[in-house]
Amino acid sequence: AEDSSEERHSEGIDIAIALDVSGSMLARDLKPDRLEAAKRVAMDFIDGRPNDRIGLVVYEGDAFTQCPLTTDHNVLKTLFSEARSGFIANGTAVGMGLATAVNRLRHSEAKSKVVILLTDGVNNTGAVQPLDAAMLADRMGIRVYTIGLGTRGKALSPVGRYPDGSLHFDYVEVDLDEKTLQAISAATGGRSFRATDERKLKEIYNEIDRLEKTRFK
């Protein structure tokens, strides 16, 4: 029965998670910060879908594949936990993050192809506009669920560095482009969500899980 895992996979879902790791993801309105909370909740989601191929794209000023689509979720979770802010250029290239995730699913044979795009900001850099990446996703039959992360109002966020390299925090308006996120999910038949805290983020992942399971039936 060597091929049973292959067979099982043919009815699975391919999911690429595109995770914003820009500096603002170190804001402390989620505990200990947005990035760690986002990673924690995503890992629970991964545990709940053992048969799906899941991959991880991270983006700041540019985007790269942290982990290609895989059913080896131990490797995936290790690479997930290693995702850090400040490795790539400054800025938030939401369009590049989405385009890179879409690219990972380009050759997918799965019946269902999904991107979960998480950001706490506004696309302000990168060669690809978010809506162009969404159009591309739609042409390839990929649904994009978008999650905007952050409290409403102000959040304790990194605003610079002290001479010793440690981060300097201050209260900053949460600047999230919800309109674009809604347009991305609308263009691809996905849904758009707003997570103001970790509990809400968990609910959103559960909802995505539920939506994909019902679609399958």
PDB file of all heavy atoms in Angstrom, residues 35-69:
ATOM      1  N   LEU A  35       3.466  38.437  15.633  1.00  0.00           N
ATOM      2  CA  LEU A  35       4.103  37.375  14.862  1.00  0.00           C
ATOM      3  C   LEU A  35       4.048  36.039  15.600  1.00  0.00           C
ATOM      4  O   LEU A  35       3.653  35.018  15.032  1.00  0.00           O
ATOM      5  CB  LEU A  35       5.554  37.756  14.531  1.00  0.00           C
ATOM      6  CG  LEU A  35       6.322  36.774  13.641  1.00  0.00           C
ATOM      7  CD1 LEU A  35       5.578  36.514  12.331  1.00  0.00           C
ATOM      8  CD2 LEU A  35       7.729  37.287  13.353  1.00  0.00           C
ATOM      9  N   GLU A  36       4.430  36.056  16.875  1.00  0.00           N
ATOM     10  CA  GLU A  36       4.438  34.803  17.645  1.00  0.00           C
ATOM     11  C   GLU A  36       3.016  34.254  17.806  1.00  0.00           C
ATOM     12  O   GLU A  36       2.799  33.051  17.726  1.00  0.00           O
ATOM     13  CB  GLU A  36       5.099  35.008  19.009  1.00  0.00           C
ATOM     14  CG  GLU A  36       6.609  35.184  18.930  1.00  0.00           C
ATOM     15  CD  GLU A  36       7.314  34.069  18.148  1.00  0.00           C
ATOM     16  OE1 GLU A  36       7.019  32.873  18.390  1.00  0.00           O
ATOM     17  OE2 GLU A  36       8.142  34.389  17.284  1.00  0.00           O
ATOM     18  N   ALA A  37       2.054  35.143  18.043  1.00  0.00           N
ATOM     19  CA  ALA A  37       0.659  34.702  18.176  1.00  0.00           C
ATOM     20  C   ALA A  37       0.173  34.104  16.860  1.00  0.00           C
ATOM     21  O   ALA A  37      -0.482  33.062  16.839  1.00  0.00           O
ATOM     22  CB  ALA A  37      -0.234  35.877  18.589  1.00  0.00           C
ATOM     23  N   ALA A  38       0.523  34.748  15.744  1.00  0.00           N
ATOM     24  CA  ALA A  38       0.100  34.264  14.424  1.00  0.00           C
ATOM     25  C   ALA A  38       0.701  32.894  14.142  1.00  0.00           C
ATOM     26  O   ALA A  38       0.041  32.003  13.600  1.00  0.00           O
ATOM     27  CB  ALA A  38       0.512  35.266  13.341  1.00  0.00           C
ATOM     28  N   LYS A  39       1.969  32.722  14.533  1.00  0.00           N
ATOM     29  CA  LYS A  39       2.634  31.442  14.318  1.00  0.00           C
ATOM     30  C   LYS A  39       1.977  30.337  15.155  1.00  0.00           C
ATOM     31  O   LYS A  39       1.727  29.238  14.675  1.00  0.00           O
ATOM     32  CB  LYS A  39       4.132  31.562  14.652  1.00  0.00           C
ATOM     33  CG  LYS A  39       4.917  32.223  13.537  1.00  0.00           C
ATOM     34  CD  LYS A  39       6.248  32.831  13.909  1.00  0.00           C
ATOM     35  CE  LYS A  39       7.167  32.045  14.753  1.00  0.00           C
ATOM     36  NZ  LYS A  39       8.515  32.669  14.794  1.00  0.00           N
ATOM     37  N   ARG A  40       1.675  30.676  16.405  1.00  0.00           N
ATOM     38  CA  ARG A  40       1.080  29.707  17.331  1.00  0.00           C
ATOM     39  C   ARG A  40      -0.265  29.204  16.787  1.00  0.00           C
ATOM     40  O   ARG A  40      -0.530  28.002  16.746  1.00  0.00           O
ATOM     41  CB  ARG A  40       0.882  30.396  18.679  1.00  0.00           C
ATOM     42  CG  ARG A  40       0.759  29.476  19.845  1.00  0.00           C
ATOM     43  CD  ARG A  40       1.031  30.169  21.159  1.00  0.00           C
ATOM     44  NE  ARG A  40       0.322  31.422  21.350  1.00  0.00           N
ATOM     45  CZ  ARG A  40       0.914  32.556  21.777  1.00  0.00           C
ATOM     46  NH1 ARG A  40       2.203  32.582  22.047  1.00  0.00           N
ATOM     47  NH2 ARG A  40       0.213  33.652  21.931  1.00  0.00           N
ATOM     48  N   VAL A  41      -1.109  30.140  16.361  1.00  0.00           N
ATOM     49  CA  VAL A  41      -2.444  29.758  15.887  1.00  0.00           C
ATOM     50  C   VAL A  41      -2.342  28.979  14.575  1.00  0.00           C
ATOM     51  O   VAL A  41      -3.051  27.987  14.371  1.00  0.00           O
ATOM     52  CB  VAL A  41      -3.333  31.021  15.713  1.00  0.00           C
ATOM     53  CG1 VAL A  41      -4.672  30.637  15.122  1.00  0.00           C
ATOM     54  CG2 VAL A  41      -3.537  31.708  17.060  1.00  0.00           C
ATOM     55  N   ALA A  42      -1.429  29.388  13.703  1.00  0.00           N
ATOM     56  CA  ALA A  42      -1.260  28.679  12.428  1.00  0.00           C
ATOM     57  C   ALA A  42      -0.789  27.250  12.668  1.00  0.00           C
ATOM     58  O   ALA A  42      -1.208  26.320  11.976  1.00  0.00           O
ATOM     59  CB  ALA A  42      -0.272  29.425  11.535  1.00  0.00           C
ATOM     60  N   MET A  43       0.071  27.059  13.664  1.00  0.00           N
ATOM     61  CA  MET A  43       0.568  25.707  13.944  1.00  0.00           C
ATOM     62  C   MET A  43      -0.552  24.790  14.427  1.00  0.00           C
ATOM     63  O   MET A  43      -0.584  23.612  14.076  1.00  0.00           O
ATOM     64  CB  MET A  43       1.696  25.765  14.963  1.00  0.00           C
ATOM     65  CG  MET A  43       2.900  26.474  14.373  1.00  0.00           C
ATOM     66  SD  MET A  43       4.442  25.648  14.713  1.00  0.00           S
ATOM     67  CE  MET A  43       5.461  27.015  15.122  1.00  0.00           C
ATOM     68  N   ASP A  44      -1.479  25.331  15.205  1.00  0.00           N
ATOM     69  CA  ASP A  44      -2.647  24.539  15.624  1.00  0.00           C
ATOM     70  C   ASP A  44      -3.467  24.132  14.401  1.00  0.00           C
ATOM     71  O   ASP A  44      -3.957  23.009  14.305  1.00  0.00           O
ATOM     72  CB  ASP A  44      -3.556  25.351  16.564  1.00  0.00           C
ATOM     73  CG  ASP A  44      -2.961  25.461  17.954  1.00  0.00           C
ATOM     74  OD1 ASP A  44      -1.968  24.752  18.232  1.00  0.00           O
ATOM     75  OD2 ASP A  44      -3.485  26.261  18.760  1.00  0.00           O
ATOM     76  N   PHE A  45      -3.625  25.064  13.488  1.00  0.00           N
ATOM     77  CA  PHE A  45      -4.373  24.814  12.252  1.00  0.00           C
ATOM     78  C   PHE A  45      -3.703  23.686  11.459  1.00  0.00           C
ATOM     79  O   PHE A  45      -4.356  22.767  10.971  1.00  0.00           O
ATOM     80  CB  PHE A  45      -4.421  26.106  11.435  1.00  0.00           C
ATOM     81  CG  PHE A  45      -5.027  25.970  10.061  1.00  0.00           C
ATOM     82  CD1 PHE A  45      -6.409  25.923   9.898  1.00  0.00           C
ATOM     83  CD2 PHE A  45      -4.226  25.940   8.928  1.00  0.00           C
ATOM     84  CE1 PHE A  45      -6.974  25.818   8.625  1.00  0.00           C
ATOM     85  CE2 PHE A  45      -4.780  25.840   7.655  1.00  0.00           C
ATOM     86  CZ  PHE A  45      -6.160  25.777   7.510  1.00  0.00           C
ATOM     87  N   ILE A  46      -2.380  23.764  11.352  1.00  0.00           N
ATOM     88  CA  ILE A  46      -1.600  22.748  10.637  1.00  0.00           C
ATOM     89  C   ILE A  46      -1.815  21.372  11.283  1.00  0.00           C
ATOM     90  O   ILE A  46      -2.025  20.373  10.596  1.00  0.00           O
ATOM     91  CB  ILE A  46      -0.103  23.128  10.624  1.00  0.00           C
ATOM     92  CG1 ILE A  46       0.120  24.344   9.723  1.00  0.00           C
ATOM     93  CG2 ILE A  46       0.769  21.956  10.171  1.00  0.00           C
ATOM     94  CD1 ILE A  46       1.461  25.056   9.950  1.00  0.00           C
ATOM     95  N   ASP A  47      -1.794  21.339  12.621  1.00  0.00           N
ATOM     96  CA  ASP A  47      -2.017  20.075  13.344  1.00  0.00           C
ATOM     97  C   ASP A  47      -3.388  19.483  13.039  1.00  0.00           C
ATOM     98  O   ASP A  47      -3.569  18.272  13.062  1.00  0.00           O
ATOM     99  CB  ASP A  47      -1.898  20.289  14.857  1.00  0.00           C
ATOM    100  CG  ASP A  47      -0.446  20.415  15.293  1.00  0.00           C
ATOM    101  OD1 ASP A  47       0.441  19.996  14.524  1.00  0.00           O
ATOM    102  OD2 ASP A  47      -0.201  20.957  16.392  1.00  0.00           O
ATOM    103  N   GLY A  48      -4.338  20.357  12.774  1.00  0.00           N
ATOM    104  CA  GLY A  48      -5.707  19.894  12.523  1.00  0.00           C
ATOM    105  C   GLY A  48      -5.920  19.384  11.101  1.00  0.00           C
ATOM    106  O   GLY A  48      -6.992  18.865  10.786  1.00  0.00           O
ATOM    107  N   ARG A  49      -4.926  19.570  10.220  1.00  0.00           N
ATOM    108  CA  ARG A  49      -5.095  19.142   8.824  1.00  0.00           C
ATOM    109  C   ARG A  49      -3.920  18.265   8.397  1.00  0.00           C
ATOM    110  O   ARG A  49      -3.158  18.637   7.511  1.00  0.00           O
ATOM    111  CB  ARG A  49      -5.192  20.359   7.913  1.00  0.00           C
ATOM    112  CG  ARG A  49      -6.263  21.356   8.327  1.00  0.00           C
ATOM    113  CD  ARG A  49      -6.588  22.299   7.209  1.00  0.00           C
ATOM    114  NE  ARG A  49      -7.209  21.577   6.113  1.00  0.00           N
ATOM    115  CZ  ARG A  49      -8.516  21.592   5.857  1.00  0.00           C
ATOM    116  NH1 ARG A  49      -9.325  22.299   6.590  1.00  0.00           N
ATOM    117  NH2 ARG A  49      -8.998  20.907   4.856  1.00  0.00           N
ATOM    118  N   PRO A  50      -3.765  17.092   9.019  1.00  0.00           N
ATOM    119  CA  PRO A  50      -2.560  16.281   8.805  1.00  0.00           C
ATOM    120  C   PRO A  50      -2.381  15.790   7.370  1.00  0.00           C
ATOM    121  O   PRO A  50      -1.271  15.495   6.954  1.00  0.00           O
ATOM    122  CB  PRO A  50      -2.744  15.099   9.765  1.00  0.00           C
ATOM    123  CG  PRO A  50      -4.205  15.058  10.054  1.00  0.00           C
ATOM    124  CD  PRO A  50      -4.691  16.466   9.982  1.00  0.00           C
ATOM    125  N   ASN A  51      -3.477  15.708   6.592  1.00  0.00           N
ATOM    126  CA  ASN A  51      -3.348  15.132   5.252  1.00  0.00           C
ATOM    127  C   ASN A  51      -3.142  16.156   4.150  1.00  0.00           C
ATOM    128  O   ASN A  51      -2.977  15.795   2.988  1.00  0.00           O
ATOM    129  CB  ASN A  51      -4.585  14.295   4.912  1.00  0.00           C
ATOM    130  CG  ASN A  51      -4.789  13.202   5.944  1.00  0.00           C
ATOM    131  OD1 ASN A  51      -3.816  12.740   6.542  1.00  0.00           O
ATOM    132  ND2 ASN A  51      -6.025  12.810   6.173  1.00  0.00           N
ATOM    133  N   ASP A  52      -3.199  17.425   4.487  1.00  0.00           N
ATOM    134  CA  ASP A  52      -3.050  18.446   3.453  1.00  0.00           C
ATOM    135  C   ASP A  52      -1.593  18.786   3.225  1.00  0.00           C
ATOM    136  O   ASP A  52      -0.782  18.726   4.153  1.00  0.00           O
ATOM    137  CB  ASP A  52      -3.787  19.737   3.852  1.00  0.00           C
ATOM    138  CG  ASP A  52      -5.284  19.531   3.911  1.00  0.00           C
ATOM    139  OD1 ASP A  52      -5.778  18.634   3.212  1.00  0.00           O
ATOM    140  OD2 ASP A  52      -5.953  20.268   4.653  1.00  0.00           O
ATOM    141  N   ARG A  53      -1.288  19.166   1.997  1.00  0.00           N
ATOM    142  CA  ARG A  53       0.032  19.730   1.736  1.00  0.00           C
ATOM    143  C   ARG A  53      -0.065  21.213   2.101  1.00  0.00           C
ATOM    144  O   ARG A  53      -0.943  21.930   1.616  1.00  0.00           O
ATOM    145  CB  ARG A  53       0.395  19.594   0.250  1.00  0.00           C
ATOM    146  CG  ARG A  53       0.756  18.188  -0.130  1.00  0.00           C
ATOM    147  CD  ARG A  53       1.587  18.143  -1.396  1.00  0.00           C
ATOM    148  NE  ARG A  53       1.051  18.984  -2.457  1.00  0.00           N
ATOM    149  CZ  ARG A  53       1.720  19.279  -3.572  1.00  0.00           C
ATOM    150  NH1 ARG A  53       2.942  18.809  -3.762  1.00  0.00           N
ATOM    151  NH2 ARG A  53       1.167  20.025  -4.509  1.00  0.00           N
ATOM    152  N   ILE A  54       0.826  21.641   2.961  1.00  0.00           N
ATOM    153  CA  ILE A  54       0.812  23.038   3.402  1.00  0.00           C
ATOM    154  C   ILE A  54       2.215  23.605   3.217  1.00  0.00           C
ATOM    155  O   ILE A  54       3.204  22.910   3.454  1.00  0.00           O
ATOM    156  CB  ILE A  54       0.369  23.148   4.883  1.00  0.00           C
ATOM    157  CG1 ILE A  54      -1.012  22.515   5.073  1.00  0.00           C
ATOM    158  CG2 ILE A  54       0.353  24.609   5.346  1.00  0.00           C
ATOM    159  CD1 ILE A  54      -1.525  22.496   6.503  1.00  0.00           C
ATOM    160  N   GLY A  55       2.291  24.848   2.768  1.00  0.00           N
ATOM    161  CA  GLY A  55       3.580  25.516   2.610  1.00  0.00           C
ATOM    162  C   GLY A  55       3.532  26.889   3.242  1.00  0.00           C
ATOM    163  O   GLY A  55       2.454  27.390   3.590  1.00  0.00           O
ATOM    164  N   LEU A  56       4.698  27.485   3.406  1.00  0.00           N
ATOM    165  CA  LEU A  56       4.777  28.797   4.063  1.00  0.00           C
ATOM    166  C   LEU A  56       5.625  29.762   3.245  1.00  0.00           C
ATOM    167  O   LEU A  56       6.759  29.468   2.891  1.00  0.00           O
ATOM    168  CB  LEU A  56       5.392  28.638   5.457  1.00  0.00           C
ATOM    169  CG  LEU A  56       5.684  29.948   6.218  1.00  0.00           C
ATOM    170  CD1 LEU A  56       4.395  30.716   6.517  1.00  0.00           C
ATOM    171  CD2 LEU A  56       6.435  29.660   7.514  1.00  0.00           C
ATOM    172  N   VAL A  57       5.021  30.922   2.951  1.00  0.00           N
ATOM    173  CA  VAL A  57       5.742  32.031   2.336  1.00  0.00           C
ATOM    174  C   VAL A  57       5.791  33.147   3.372  1.00  0.00           C
ATOM    175  O   VAL A  57       4.804  33.399   4.068  1.00  0.00           O
ATOM    176  CB  VAL A  57       4.990  32.514   1.071  1.00  0.00           C
ATOM    177  CG1 VAL A  57       5.521  33.863   0.591  1.00  0.00           C
ATOM    178  CG2 VAL A  57       5.079  31.464  -0.029  1.00  0.00           C
ATOM    179  N   VAL A  58       6.956  33.781   3.524  1.00  0.00           N
ATOM    180  CA  VAL A  58       7.038  34.939   4.418  1.00  0.00           C
ATOM    181  C   VAL A  58       7.385  36.161   3.582  1.00  0.00           C
ATOM    182  O   VAL A  58       8.067  36.065   2.566  1.00  0.00           O
ATOM    183  CB  VAL A  58       8.086  34.740   5.548  1.00  0.00           C
ATOM    184  CG1 VAL A  58       7.657  33.637   6.486  1.00  0.00           C
ATOM    185  CG2 VAL A  58       9.463  34.470   4.989  1.00  0.00           C
ATOM    186  N   TYR A  59       6.888  37.315   4.009  1.00  0.00           N
ATOM    187  CA  TYR A  59       7.203  38.527   3.257  1.00  0.00           C
ATOM    188  C   TYR A  59       7.340  39.736   4.172  1.00  0.00           C
ATOM    189  O   TYR A  59       6.676  39.850   5.193  1.00  0.00           O
ATOM    190  CB  TYR A  59       6.154  38.785   2.166  1.00  0.00           C
ATOM    191  CG  TYR A  59       4.755  39.060   2.680  1.00  0.00           C
ATOM    192  CD1 TYR A  59       4.299  40.356   2.865  1.00  0.00           C
ATOM    193  CD2 TYR A  59       3.887  38.010   2.986  1.00  0.00           C
ATOM    194  CE1 TYR A  59       3.015  40.602   3.340  1.00  0.00           C
ATOM    195  CE2 TYR A  59       2.612  38.249   3.458  1.00  0.00           C
ATOM    196  CZ  TYR A  59       2.178  39.546   3.632  1.00  0.00           C
ATOM    197  OH  TYR A  59       0.914  39.786   4.118  1.00  0.00           O
ATOM    198  N   GLU A  60       8.284  40.586   3.792  1.00  0.00           N
ATOM    199  CA  GLU A  60       8.413  41.940   4.362  1.00  0.00           C
ATOM    200  C   GLU A  60       8.452  42.865   3.147  1.00  0.00           C
ATOM    201  O   GLU A  60       7.481  42.987   2.435  1.00  0.00           O
ATOM    202  CB  GLU A  60       9.705  42.069   5.178  1.00  0.00           C
ATOM    203  CG  GLU A  60       9.666  41.389   6.522  1.00  0.00           C
ATOM    204  CD  GLU A  60      10.990  41.516   7.264  1.00  0.00           C
ATOM    205  OE1 GLU A  60      11.303  42.599   7.793  1.00  0.00           O
ATOM    206  OE2 GLU A  60      11.721  40.513   7.321  1.00  0.00           O
ATOM    207  N   GLY A  61       9.658  43.426   2.867  1.00  0.00           N
ATOM    208  CA  GLY A  61       9.821  44.237   1.669  1.00  0.00           C
ATOM    209  C   GLY A  61       9.918  43.381   0.430  1.00  0.00           C
ATOM    210  O   GLY A  61       9.801  43.855  -0.692  1.00  0.00           O
ATOM    211  N   ASP A  62      10.154  42.106   0.622  1.00  0.00           N
ATOM    212  CA  ASP A  62      10.162  41.136  -0.468  1.00  0.00           C
ATOM    213  C   ASP A  62       9.568  39.849   0.090  1.00  0.00           C
ATOM    214  O   ASP A  62       9.196  39.802   1.261  1.00  0.00           O
ATOM    215  CB  ASP A  62      11.601  40.916  -0.964  1.00  0.00           C
ATOM    216  CG  ASP A  62      11.627  40.392  -2.394  1.00  0.00           C
ATOM    217  OD1 ASP A  62      10.556  39.974  -2.902  1.00  0.00           O
ATOM    218  OD2 ASP A  62      12.701  40.386  -2.999  1.00  0.00           O
ATOM    219  N   ALA A  63       9.481  38.821  -0.729  1.00  0.00           N
ATOM    220  CA  ALA A  63       8.852  37.585  -0.275  1.00  0.00           C
ATOM    221  C   ALA A  63       9.738  36.411  -0.618  1.00  0.00           C
ATOM    222  O   ALA A  63      10.435  36.426  -1.628  1.00  0.00           O
ATOM    223  CB  ALA A  63       7.492  37.412  -0.963  1.00  0.00           C
ATOM    224  N   PHE A  64       9.748  35.400   0.240  1.00  0.00           N
ATOM    225  CA  PHE A  64      10.399  34.158  -0.164  1.00  0.00           C
ATOM    226  C   PHE A  64       9.703  32.958   0.467  1.00  0.00           C
ATOM    227  O   PHE A  64       8.950  33.091   1.432  1.00  0.00           O
ATOM    228  CB  PHE A  64      11.906  34.158   0.104  1.00  0.00           C
ATOM    229  CG  PHE A  64      12.302  34.105   1.542  1.00  0.00           C
ATOM    230  CD1 PHE A  64      12.464  32.888   2.194  1.00  0.00           C
ATOM    231  CD2 PHE A  64      12.538  35.275   2.255  1.00  0.00           C
ATOM    232  CE1 PHE A  64      12.839  32.837   3.521  1.00  0.00           C
ATOM    233  CE2 PHE A  64      12.918  35.227   3.588  1.00  0.00           C
ATOM    234  CZ  PHE A  64      13.071  34.006   4.220  1.00  0.00           C
ATOM    235  N   THR A  65       9.959  31.798  -0.123  1.00  0.00           N
ATOM    236  CA  THR A  65       9.333  30.574   0.346  1.00  0.00           C
ATOM    237  C   THR A  65      10.138  30.023   1.506  1.00  0.00           C
ATOM    238  O   THR A  65      11.291  29.647   1.347  1.00  0.00           O
ATOM    239  CB  THR A  65       9.278  29.547  -0.793  1.00  0.00           C
ATOM    240  OG1 THR A  65       8.521  30.125  -1.865  1.00  0.00           O
ATOM    241  CG2 THR A  65       8.594  28.267  -0.339  1.00  0.00           C
ATOM    242  N   GLN A  66       9.526  30.006   2.672  1.00  0.00           N
ATOM    243  CA  GLN A  66      10.173  29.470   3.859  1.00  0.00           C
ATOM    244  C   GLN A  66      10.090  27.946   3.850  1.00  0.00           C
ATOM    245  O   GLN A  66      10.992  27.263   4.294  1.00  0.00           O
ATOM    246  CB  GLN A  66       9.479  30.044   5.103  1.00  0.00           C
ATOM    247  CG  GLN A  66      10.019  29.590   6.428  1.00  0.00           C
ATOM    248  CD  GLN A  66      11.127  30.491   6.961  1.00  0.00           C
ATOM    249  OE1 GLN A  66      11.571  31.396   6.284  1.00  0.00           O
ATOM    250  NE2 GLN A  66      11.570  30.226   8.171  1.00  0.00           N
ATOM    251  N   CYS A  67       8.965  27.427   3.322  1.00  0.00           N
ATOM    252  CA  CYS A  67       8.790  25.976   3.225  1.00  0.00           C
ATOM    253  C   CYS A  67       7.869  25.667   2.050  1.00  0.00           C
ATOM    254  O   CYS A  67       6.751  26.168   2.011  1.00  0.00           O
ATOM    255  CB  CYS A  67       8.172  25.436   4.516  1.00  0.00           C
ATOM    256  SG  CYS A  67       7.980  23.641   4.509  1.00  0.00           S
ATOM    257  N   PRO A  68       8.333  24.868   1.076  1.00  0.00           N
ATOM    258  CA  PRO A  68       7.459  24.486  -0.038  1.00  0.00           C
ATOM    259  C   PRO A  68       6.303  23.622   0.460  1.00  0.00           C
ATOM    260  O   PRO A  68       6.327  23.161   1.596  1.00  0.00           O
ATOM    261  CB  PRO A  68       8.372  23.685  -0.973  1.00  0.00           C
ATOM    262  CG  PRO A  68       9.736  23.746  -0.403  1.00  0.00           C
ATOM    263  CD  PRO A  68       9.654  24.249   0.999  1.00  0.00           C
ATOM    264  N   LEU A  69       5.302  23.402  -0.383  1.00  0.00           N
ATOM    265  CA  LEU A  69       4.162  22.567  -0.002  1.00  0.00           C
ATOM    266  C   LEU A  69       4.652  21.189   0.421  1.00  0.00           C
ATOM    267  O   LEU A  69       5.407  20.551  -0.298  1.00  0.00           O
ATOM    268  CB  LEU A  69       3.216  22.403  -1.190  1.00  0.00           C
ATOM    269  CG  LEU A  69       2.449  23.636  -1.639  1.00  0.00           C
ATOM    270  CD1 LEU A  69       1.717  23.340  -2.928  1.00  0.00           C
ATOM    271  CD2 LEU A  69       1.479  24.100  -0.569  1.00  0.00           C
TER     272      LEU A  69
END
